[in-house]
Amino acid sequence: MKRYMPFTYKTMIPYLLLVLLTDVLVGYISYSMLIQSRTEMAESNIRTGMEQARNNIRYQMDEIQRMSDTLFGSLSFQRALQKKGEPLEIYLTMLDEIVPQITAPLQLFGNHIRLMLYTLNSDLNIVSGDNLADPIMDSDYYILSFDDIKDSEWYHTFKDSGRDNIWLQIDTDRQLGNISHIRRLVSYNDYNTVIGYVRITVSLDDLLGNFTAFPVNQGITLRLIDEPSGGNIYQQGSAGEHENDGSFLTLHESIPESDYVIETLVPSSYLTKDAGRMQKIIFAVCAISFLAMACIGLLVALLSGRKMSRIVTLVRSFQEGNFQKRIRFSGNDEFVQIADAFNIMGTNIQTLIHSVYEQGIQKKQAELEALQAQINPHFLYNTLSTISSLANLGEVGKVTDMVQGLSRFYRLTLNQGKVYIPLRDEIEQVSTYLDIQRVKYANAFNVYFDIEPAIGDVLVVKLILQPFVENIFKHAWFGDTIAIRITGRRMGEQIELKIIDNGIGIKPTELRP
């Protein structure tokens, strides 16, 4: 006898290849998704921290800006800066006007700052604060002479730039990790004469806020970049010598209304940490999955071979149109359910064939009854009666118009048995109906159509407008004349049709539910 291998066993080879391929694909996708998820989560955390740092910097910059705006806009403060007189008088002016307006914002600002006032008025007393070469440990103010800065490099740079109200790193700011806000004070007399300079210095650590979102100990580097010059004015962490070799994810966050950008360098090692452990776990899961699926496939092949042929026989009988055959399996496995499903399907198909045949007849009968119901016998009777009266009076032209209108009305109404017609045909049908009524009522009414041309091809239910128009003549007309307006327009995804008249309307009592 010719030896053969059962088909179910043959399917084991592609099945095992498919399972292997699936496990490899699922493992690769899972690993990629985990790495991507880890990267996105780390990037999201870093971006959140950058946004918090940006908001903190912007908020504190705005607060310092308001400080300088207050001093710049205070008329009493400017008058005090220009005060000339006896030392006692100058001293009292400083106590009453200058010092209070300088110290007030220092008490309200959340972080430690240095507020320095360089005055051109040589009569004012000098107030020296902490050593500017030391880090900012507490909020302090200074009232210094303009002579202290007039020969400095940063002052000439500031003056020659023609800019004002800006942030710079000057003197010892870079060494101490500070940044200063510089602004001219001008006289209100001519808005041109410089009466002094305000410098507000703050620590960049305080501006950037909390660094818990930037684990610099894991290789992340945070920088504050001066965008126009590209200079690095602040840095936390060290990117190392491999900064530009593509192994870092670089994120930027611009600080609104400033020239500064927060830059974060995230090493790939931080994004893919724990990747080796995840790779081993995924490989183990995929291997176990492959072995389990192989065992299940072999068991299914052994059990399903015998029952498969019987099911194929039943399917072939169904294919030949023999729905009387049934199959029975013992047990409670899937093949029993398949057999029961085939048996039920055969019964349902036989019932469906009989039911569809009867429903087809009932549907044709319902369509015929609906078509007959659409033809209004009262309208036909009244129209024929009007035609008879016009014929007796010798109104041949009107009789011809009404007969033609009636013919066109029922041609459109029947519409070859179709339920849906284009809107323009429905409008034509209503217009024909109104033409017939116009002969009957001797042009005692006016009709206005306001239909958007773009909706003429939209399909609507046949005779959707005529009953409403007919109700106007039955219920709304109680005077000598009446006006009818029919509108149609597109409302989003829908079509809005309106039939409006100036008739008597409906009593409020009848409108109540």
Side-chain angles (χ1 to χ4, degrees):
M1 294 180 61
K2 184 178 179 179
R3 300 184 63 182
Y4 69 95
M5 181 181 292
F7 176 77
T8 52
Y9 291 172
K10 291 180 181 180
T11 58
M12 282 293 296
I13 296 176
Y15 168 79
L16 292 177
L17 291 176
L18 179 60
V19 170
L20 179 61
L21 178 62
T22 302
D23 282 345
V24 171
L25 183 61
V26 170
Y28 174 79
I29 294 176
S30 299
Y31 178 76
S32 300
M33 291 181 65
L34 286 172
I35 296 298
Q36 181 180 1
S37 175
R38 169 66 183 174
T39 302
E40 291 176 354
M41 182 173 62
E43 181 178 348
S44 176
N45 292 337
I46 297 298
R47 286 193 182 277
T48 301
M50 292 175 67
E51 291 175 1
Q52 293 175 351
R54 177 203 64 191
N55 295 336
N56 189 57
I57 291 177
R58 186 66 263 167
Y59 172 79
Q60 297 192 68
M61 282 184 168
D62 289 341
E63 286 295 310
I64 293 174
Q65 180 69 53
R66 279 190 283 271
M67 291 183 193
S68 67
D69 289 344
T70 301
L71 298 178
F72 181 87
S74 174
L75 183 59
S76 61
F77 181 76
Q78 293 198 9
R79 287 174 176 171
L81 287 183
Q82 301 175 72
K83 181 73 174 180
K84 296 288 187 177
E86 297 297 326
L88 178 60
E89 185 179 4
I90 296 298
Y91 176 76
L92 294 176
T93 299
M94 291 185 64
L95 289 181
D96 295 336
E97 295 294 339
I98 297 178
V99 173
Q101 295 196 52
I102 292 177
T103 57
L106 298 180
Q107 299 172 0
L108 297 176
F109 194 73
N111 294 319
H112 300 316
I113 60 174
R114 287 172 175 164
L115 197 157
M116 286 161 273
L117 174 64
Y118 297 98
T119 176
L120 278 75
N121 187 354
S122 58
D123 289 351
L124 293 182
N125 297 327
I126 302 301
V127 179
S128 299
D130 296 333
N131 188 354
L132 295 179
D134 294 333
I136 301 176
M137 303 303 296
D138 198 2
S139 294
D140 199 4
Y141 72 94
Y142 307 74
I143 301 176
L144 305 173
S145 174
F146 171 71
D147 294 335
D148 293 346
I149 63 171
K150 67 179 182 179
D151 295 327
S152 63
E153 181 180 356
W154 72 264
Y155 169 73
H156 289 285
T157 302
F158 172 77
K159 181 180 179 181
D160 295 338
S161 68
R163 301 173 62 191
D164 192 12
N165 202 19
I166 61 174
W167 290 84
L168 295 172
Q169 277 192 320
I170 58 179
D171 290 339
T172 59
D173 285 350
R174 182 175 293 274
Q175 291 79 9
L176 298 177
N178 299 334
I179 191 169
S180 297
H181 175 73
I182 311 297
R183 183 172 194 164
R184 294 186 183 92
L185 297 178
V186 297
S187 174
Y188 269 104
N189 294 329
D190 56 2
Y191 294 94
N192 191 33
T193 302
V194 177
I195 61 175
Y197 294 87
V198 173
R199 173 186 173 186
I200 303 176
T201 303
V202 63
S203 170
L204 284 169
D205 285 338
D206 293 336
L207 278 183
L208 289 169
N210 195 345
F211 293 94
T212 57
F214 306 93
V216 294
N217 59 333
Q218 299 186 38
I220 292 180
T221 300
L222 176 69
R223 294 173 175 172
L224 187 64
I225 305 297
D226 185 4
E227 196 168 21
S229 65
N232 180 16
I233 64 174
Y234 178 82
Q235 178 169 320
Q236 279 283 338
S238 177
E241 59 182 7
H242 302 291
E243 174 182 340
N244 298 318
D245 62 3
S247 61
F248 284 81
L249 172 66
T250 304
L251 305 176
H252 294 90
E253 188 71 35
S254 298
I255 301 175
E257 301 177 8
S258 74
D259 295 330
Y260 301 114
V261 175
I262 301 175
E263 181 184 76
T264 304
L265 302 176
V266 185
S268 57
S269 59
Y270 177 81
L271 299 175
T272 59
K273 66 179 183 179
D274 300 331
R277 183 172 60 87
M278 290 189 295
Q279 186 178 21
K280 292 179 180 179
I281 293 175
I282 292 174
F283 177 81
V285 171
C286 290
I288 294 173
S289 173
F290 175 78
L291 293 176
M293 295 300 292
C295 294
I296 294 174
L298 180 61
L299 181 61
V300 170
L302 292 173
L303 297 178
S304 62
R306 293 175 296 176
K307 297 181 179 180
M308 186 65 70
S309 59
R310 295 179 62 184
I311 294 176
V312 171
T313 301
L314 179 63
V315 172
R316 287 177 178 173
S317 66
F318 280 12
Q319 183 179 4
E320 295 170 357
N322 184 4
F323 300 106
Q324 287 77 26
K325 288 187 177 181
R326 301 292 181 264
I327 187 172
R328 296 287 184 271
F329 282 146
S330 59
N332 58 356
D333 56 14
E334 290 80 3
F335 285 99
V336 175
Q337 298 181 21
I338 293 174
D340 293 340
F342 270 112
N343 295 337
I344 295 173
M345 183 177 65
T347 303
N348 290 341
I349 290 175
Q350 288 181 305
T351 304
L352 183 61
I353 292 174
H354 183 69
S355 175
V356 168
Y357 176 78
E358 291 184 346
Q359 288 180 1
I361 297 176
Q362 294 175 358
K363 181 179 180 182
K364 293 296 182 182
Q365 183 65 30
E367 291 177 351
L368 179 60
E369 292 175 356
L371 182 60
Q372 292 173 348
Q374 290 173 356
I375 304 174
N376 192 323
H378 297 289
F379 168 69
L380 179 61
Y381 172 81
N382 292 334
T383 305
L384 292 176
S385 177
T386 302
I387 292 173
S388 176
S389 299
L390 292 174
N392 291 333
L393 295 174
E395 298 288 344
V396 178
K398 293 183 178 181
V399 169
T400 301
D401 293 340
M402 290 195 70
V403 170
Q404 290 178 349
L406 185 63
S407 175
R408 187 165 64 255
F409 175 82
Y410 277 102
R411 175 177 58 81
L412 294 169
T413 300
L414 294 175
N415 192 35
Q416 299 179 354
K418 296 179 181 178
V419 179
Y420 297 93
I421 62 173
L423 179 59
R424 64 167 54 90
D425 291 345
E426 178 66 10
I427 297 299
E428 182 182 356
Q429 192 271 346
V430 172
S431 179
T432 302
Y433 171 80
L434 291 169
D435 290 340
I436 296 172
Q437 297 291 33
R438 185 174 285 107
V439 176
K440 178 180 177 180
Y441 291 96
N443 291 321
F445 61 88
N446 296 316
V447 182
Y448 305 91
F449 288 93
D450 182 15
I451 308 296
E452 291 181 356
I455 64 174
D457 294 328
V458 176
L459 296 179
V460 298
V461 179
K462 181 174 58 180
L463 290 176
I464 193 173
L465 297 176
Q466 190 270 341
F468 295 95
V469 176
E470 184 177 354
N471 283 338
I472 294 175
F473 295 97
K474 290 183 178 181
H475 304 292
W477 195 351
F478 285 90
D480 296 331
T481 63
I482 193 170
I484 303 172
R485 182 179 180 86
I486 301 176
T487 66
R489 57 182 48 86
R490 184 177 294 278
M491 304 290 289
E493 298 295 329
Q494 299 179 345
I495 301 300
E496 180 188 72
L497 300 175
K498 290 185 179 180
I499 298 93
I500 307 169
D501 63 81
N502 60 349
I504 193 172
I506 303 176
K507 296 179 181 180
T509 55
E510 296 181 5
L511 288 174
R512 295 175 182 173

